[in-house]
Amino acid sequence: MIQHLPAVVVLLTILLQVGTVWATGKAREKYGIKAPAISGHPGFDRAWRVQMNTLESTVIFLPTLWLAVQYGFALWGSVAGLVWVFGRVWYAVAYLKDPAKRGPGFMVASAGWAVMLVLGVIGLFRALLAG
């Protein structure tokens, strides 16, 4: 079961990305924002920022997850990854409603990412020292 947990985290990350793309598309339709415009109504602007912020965070999240899992922390790296996904969902939902309330979700996601980074660095150094 543990060997599949990192893949579950990656799948949830993909679904999160799909969800933010979907929310942006719905906002584009709802507020009449014609492509290629990427601003024009505060509701659309929030959805666009959620999508882009989540994409930007995913770019550093996935390699960090890989590092933690690859170097000996499949379970704890995956748990931290689940915390990141939960935090990003919380962040996205809060940001779409009121950007001022996005902070707690961001902090939870950041904590999950930081734990994965520490695990990955520890695992890599252990591997380097072992030779």
Side-chain angles (χ1 to χ4, degrees):
M1 173 64 180
I2 292 173
Q3 72 270 20
H4 302 298
L5 197 50
V8 170
V9 174
V10 171
L11 177 60
L12 291 173
T13 302
I14 293 166
L15 294 175
L16 173 61
Q17 291 294 328
V18 169
T20 64
V21 169
W22 181 83
T24 300
K26 292 300 286 181
R28 185 177 290 283
E29 179 182 314
K30 179 178 181 178
Y31 300 114
I33 308 300
K34 304 292 183 206
I38 56 168
S39 67
H41 186 280
F44 173 78
D45 294 346
R46 285 192 305 273
W48 176 257
R49 285 310 319 150
V50 166
Q51 180 186 351
M52 291 299 104
N53 290 346
T54 302
L55 180 60
E56 292 161 0
S57 292
T58 300
V59 168
I60 64 168
F61 165 74
L62 288 175
T64 308
L65 174 65
W66 177 87
L67 191 64
V69 169
Q70 179 69 24
Y71 286 100
F73 294 99
L75 174 61
W76 293 113
S78 296
V79 169
L82 290 172
V83 169
W84 182 87
V85 171
F86 171 77
R88 290 307 301 186
V89 170
W90 183 0
Y91 166 89
V93 170
Y95 199 141
L96 288 171
K97 290 181 182 175
D98 179 1
K101 299 197 183 212
R102 71 192 189 280
F106 176 82
M107 293 306 295
V108 168
S110 295
W113 176 80
V115 167
M116 281 188 309
L117 180 61
V118 168
L119 293 173
V121 168
I122 289 170
L124 178 58
F125 278 125
R126 281 191 331 200
L128 290 170
L129 291 174

